[in-house]
Amino acid sequence: MIRLRPGPPATRTDLRRAQELAALLRGELDRVRAAALAWRNGLGGLLVALVGFSLIRGRSDVSTLAPGWGALVGVLLLAAVGAGVAGALALLRAAHGPLSVTPVAELLPAPLGEHREALAAARALRLGVLLVLACTALLIAAVGVTWYAPGQL
């Protein structure tokens, strides 16, 4: 049989550490959301700068490319749009929360619920950053193909 007994009383250091941990948990979700907003704005600015200032520009007519290369440019651009949209949605999810309402019966106690949401928001933020960077890489690859692919003979 296992017997449980009370442990030693908490010291001032233990109590102070518990208060610090509780304060960190209370502000965790706000810190993740603020970081997500900053990343969303920064990455959005990066993409606007790339497209808006015409830094991404290759041949204006992909029909001048050798057979198959124009299709590759199209696939790369389609993949870039898909990654960009998915990245934007992930960043919005991280910054503003899920697009759903949790039934009252499923709500967790505040510290636990906020901690889980902070973890989910951080995951969405990491995913959004990766997808937006993938979108940028795909756009650059598409332009590279238009620059360096052989022309029609």
Side-chain angles (χ1 to χ4, degrees), residues 37-150:
L37 281 170
W39 274 99
R40 183 200 67 190
N41 294 340
L43 292 172
L46 170 70
L47 288 178
V48 166
L50 287 173
V51 174
F53 294 116
S54 299
L55 293 177
I56 297 183
R57 184 154 178 107
R59 292 180 182 148
S60 59
D61 186 5
V62 293
S63 66
T64 62
L65 295 174
W69 289 98
L72 176 60
V73 170
V75 168
L76 288 171
L77 290 175
L78 183 62
V81 168
V85 167
L89 290 174
L91 289 173
L92 287 171
R93 193 295 182 208
H96 302 292
L99 295 172
S100 64
V101 177
T102 305
V104 174
E106 295 177 18
L107 286 175
L108 298 171
L112 179 59
E114 285 191 9
H115 178 66
R116 283 192 179 172
E117 176 54 28
L119 292 174
R123 274 191 306 274
L125 175 57
R126 282 190 298 273
L127 177 64
V129 168
L130 288 173
L131 286 169
V132 170
L133 292 176
C135 172
T136 303
L138 288 164
L139 285 173
I140 292 169
V143 171
V145 169
T146 63
W147 282 345
Y148 299 113

Side-chain angles (χ1 to χ4, degrees), residues 15-31 111 114-115:
L15 295 174
R16 195 168 302 127
R17 178 69 183 133
Q19 288 174 337
E20 290 170 358
L21 182 60
L24 283 173
L25 285 174
R26 273 193 302 274
E28 179 182 41
L29 182 57
D30 293 333
R31 286 191 309 276
E114 285 191 9
H115 178 66

